Amino acid sequence: MKPVSLIQFLIEERRAGRINAELSLLIEVVARACKRIAVATSKGALGGVLGNAGSDNVQGEAQKKLDVISNEILLEANAWGGHLAACASEEMEDPQPIPDMYPKGNHLLLFDPLDGSSNIDVNISVGTIFSVLRCPDGVTEPKVEHFLQPGTQQLAAGYVVYGPATLLVLTFGHGTHEFTLDREVGSFVLSRRDIRIPEQTAEFAINMSNQRHWEPPMQRYIGELLAGKEGPRGKDYNMRWVASMVADVHRIVSRGGVFFYPLDAKIKAKGGKLRLMYEANPMAFIVEQAGGAATTGRERILELRPTGLHQRVPVFLGSKAEVEVATRYHREAEAVQ
Ligand code: P6P
């Protein structure tokens, strides 16, 4: 069968009336920027891009050189296109307006330019996560409050995982689709259409070193998985933890599984570890469109009403049956409190 390029896919989606020309253009620009990020990350030590940038981001985390480079690549690529009103990034405190000399569009782009970047220096897969919202009508200088829309309002969400292959996974709300970068041609080619995450799984991803800090329902749930065949679940489970959300989520999108970053005593005050607007919401949209589920352990992530651009939330996502069990345990525990 003739390969379908990302451009052809986007034209098909436009013809089907599922996206408009401006959104289609925006996705093309983001994908092109991510190809440049893929080149930068693949240079390793030869590119002089490893190690820390010597600065901290808004989260107070040490920025890697590639965090800053990736952020700049995405900002630069999207400045002149005419399809954006503003950008927001994990690496920047406030939204970045489109420079006055360029035309503005009706979309808001949020991104984590290089998620999992602590893995860069040890050559483990990292990724870019992005989310697209509509800019409210009549707003020409978007402020933080214009970005604070629930995840159900997303027009598109995607990630690019920079691994052995560079893959783009994308949804417009009509299924989740995967594109593989053909490095010789330099274009993304459709490699999986309408991905389905198996409802059942025997593989979970969580940072076990935090176990002593988890709330009781998480202790109960993970304890049951670890009990395996002899335990109440009656089967053995396997565990993976890459500590790069894009890599862990892509494994789940590819073959099923569940990913947890629960609240724990250490991070309770901050609301969680992962960020709602440019990590949890886009990943939840992608996972739900592939037949999976995504909750905070108590409520559906996509229905949360955001209160801050860099707000953190607990994340339970992946194979529906397991997310539902873990969420039920948390809701039951809450009900008896
Ligand atoms: P931990 C990377 O820093 C990140 O934001 C996600 O990509 C990843 O899932 C998580 O944090 C890893 O957290 O506790 O293992 O360092």
Side-chain angles (χ1 to χ4, degrees), residues 61 90 112 115-119 207 209-210 241 243-246 248 259 261 273-275 279:
E61 295 160 343
E90 180 196 36
D112 180 355
D115 181 75
S117 54
S118 55
N119 288 307
N207 182 342
S209 70
N210 296 322
W241 187 250
S244 180
M245 186 184 196
V246 178
D248 279 314
F259 171 100
Y261 214 108
K273 161 106 188 205
L274 302 174
R275 291 78 170 184
E279 288 175 335

Side-chain angles (χ1 to χ4, degrees), residues 235-293:
K235 66 181 184 182
D236 289 339
Y237 285 74
N238 192 14
M239 199 202 102
R240 290 282 183 276
W241 187 250
V242 184
S244 180
M245 186 184 196
V246 178
D248 279 314
V249 171
H250 187 67
R251 185 189 56 255
I252 289 164
V253 165
S254 302
R255 70 184 188 206
V258 274
F259 171 100
F260 299 106
Y261 214 108
L263 266 192
D264 68 44
K266 276 191 315 178
I267 56 175
K268 196 172 182 95
K270 289 196 280 187
K273 161 106 188 205
L274 302 174
R275 291 78 170 184
L276 173 61
M277 297 307 294
Y278 40 79
E279 288 175 335
N281 265 342
M283 290 308 201
F285 191 17
I286 289 162
V287 164
E288 283 199 5
Q289 283 294 312

Side-chain angles (χ1 to χ4, degrees), residues 77-280:
N78 282 288
W80 49 267
H83 37 261
L84 276 187
C87 291
S89 164
E90 180 196 36
E91 301 302 330
M92 303 183 302
E93 172 90 36
D94 298 313
Q96 180 93 8
I98 297 303
D100 288 340
M101 71 276 240
Y102 295 126
K104 294 187 195 299
N106 302 315
H107 295 91
L108 301 174
L109 177 68
L110 303 94
F111 49 82
D112 180 355
L114 205 61
D115 181 75
S117 54
S118 55
N119 288 307
I120 280 276
D121 299 344
V122 294
N123 200 40
I124 288 174
S125 299
V126 290
T128 298
I129 310 171
F130 62 89
S131 170
V132 181
L133 294 169
R134 190 185 318 284
C135 184
D137 291 343
V139 172
T140 53
E141 298 294 337
K143 302 283 180 290
V144 171
E145 62 265 23
H146 300 118
F147 283 82
L148 301 185
Q149 303 174 34
T152 48
Q153 298 301 306
Q154 291 175 96
L155 300 176
Y159 61 78
V160 175
V161 49
Y162 309 109
T166 295
L167 303 181
L168 163 67
V169 173
L170 178 64
T171 185
F172 293 114
H174 303 281
T176 290
H177 316 287
E178 176 197 89
F179 301 81
T180 300
L181 180 61
D182 176 341
R183 290 181 183 280
E184 284 155 47
V185 177
S187 66
F188 280 104
V189 178
L190 184 64
S191 37
R192 287 181 70 192
R193 191 193 286 266
D194 287 326
I195 295 172
R196 303 307 292 166
I197 297 174
E199 189 144 334
Q200 300 292 340
T201 184
E203 192 162 71
F204 68 98
I206 194 166
N207 182 342
M208 286 297 292
S209 70
N210 296 322
Q211 182 173 22
R212 65 190 182 286
H213 302 298
W214 295 338
E215 299 173 318
M218 203 71 215
Q219 301 281 1
R220 172 189 174 197
Y221 174 76
I222 297 293
E224 288 182 0
L225 305 193
L226 294 173
K229 236 198 295 293
E230 296 71 37
R233 311 302 293 277
K235 66 181 184 182
D236 289 339
Y237 285 74
N238 192 14
M239 199 202 102
R240 290 282 183 276
W241 187 250
V242 184
S244 180
M245 186 184 196
V246 178
D248 279 314
V249 171
H250 187 67
R251 185 189 56 255
I252 289 164
V253 165
S254 302
R255 70 184 188 206
V258 274
F259 171 100
F260 299 106
Y261 214 108
L263 266 192
D264 68 44
K266 276 191 315 178
I267 56 175
K268 196 172 182 95
K270 289 196 280 187
K273 161 106 188 205
L274 302 174
R275 291 78 170 184
L276 173 61
M277 297 307 294
Y278 40 79
E279 288 175 335

